[in-house]
Amino acid sequence: MPRIRDADCGRAYGKGWYLTMNPQGGPPLPGGPVGAAFNALVRIELPHGRIDLMPLPPGHAISEPVHVPATQPGGSEWLLCVVDRAAEDGSFKSEVWVLDANKLVEGPIARVQVPLPLRAQVHGCWVPADQLP
């Protein structure tokens, strides 16, 4: 169930992103909606099926990304995702990673420390504060 651009919902689309388990990434962190957290992000291009993988370092878990569209045709697209990192005391710390949506293999271009751990999620989304009830 890939995440696609909001503008493509209900229409044909050419790319999507989804979470997966990378067996080479070490044991997964416990938690998440399936009991073990995802440790890799995939970008797939359709219809030919080209796949790019961004594995996370051991002890890391990723939540579903949010797509930030380009502001101009042909401009950069971004993904924002929460990444949890296991701490030595058994707790975890959360970061928001900013990724170039079309260059996952290059890894994050920014990591923003979050002052408290966030709950793992899949199929969530962020909304502007002015759209909150």
Side-chain angles (χ1 to χ4, degrees):
M1 187 167 179
R3 173 81 171 129
I4 61 172
R5 298 179 328 137
D6 289 342
D8 292 335
C9 287
R11 298 178 171 89
Y13 58 94
K15 60 188 167 193
W17 302 268
Y18 63 92
L19 305 177
T20 191
M21 301 293 270
N22 174 16
Q24 297 174 338
L29 294 178
V34 296
F38 296 104
N39 65 358
L41 177 63
V42 172
R43 178 181 182 272
I44 185 168
E45 288 183 17
L46 301 169
H48 52 74
R50 179 178 167 219
I51 293 177
D52 292 322
L53 174 74
M54 184 190 76
L56 272 66
H60 286 64
I62 190 168
S63 292
E64 188 171 55
V66 173
H67 180 263
V68 180
T71 56
Q72 299 176 13
S76 296
E77 301 175 77
W78 309 101
L79 295 177
L80 302 176
C81 49
V82 174
V83 174
D84 296 324
R85 178 173 42 89
E88 291 181 17
D89 66 1
S91 66
F92 65 92
K93 299 184 184 219
S94 296
E95 301 174 334
V96 174
W97 285 15
V98 179
L99 305 160
D100 184 317
N102 296 309
K103 299 177 183 174
L104 291 186
V105 296
E106 294 181 11
I109 62 163
R111 295 178 186 200
V112 180
Q113 300 295 316
V114 178
L116 56 119
L118 300 176
R119 185 177 296 270
Q121 59 82 26
V122 177
H123 312 316
C125 64
W126 297 354
V127 295
D130 63 355
Q131 292 182 13
L132 294 174

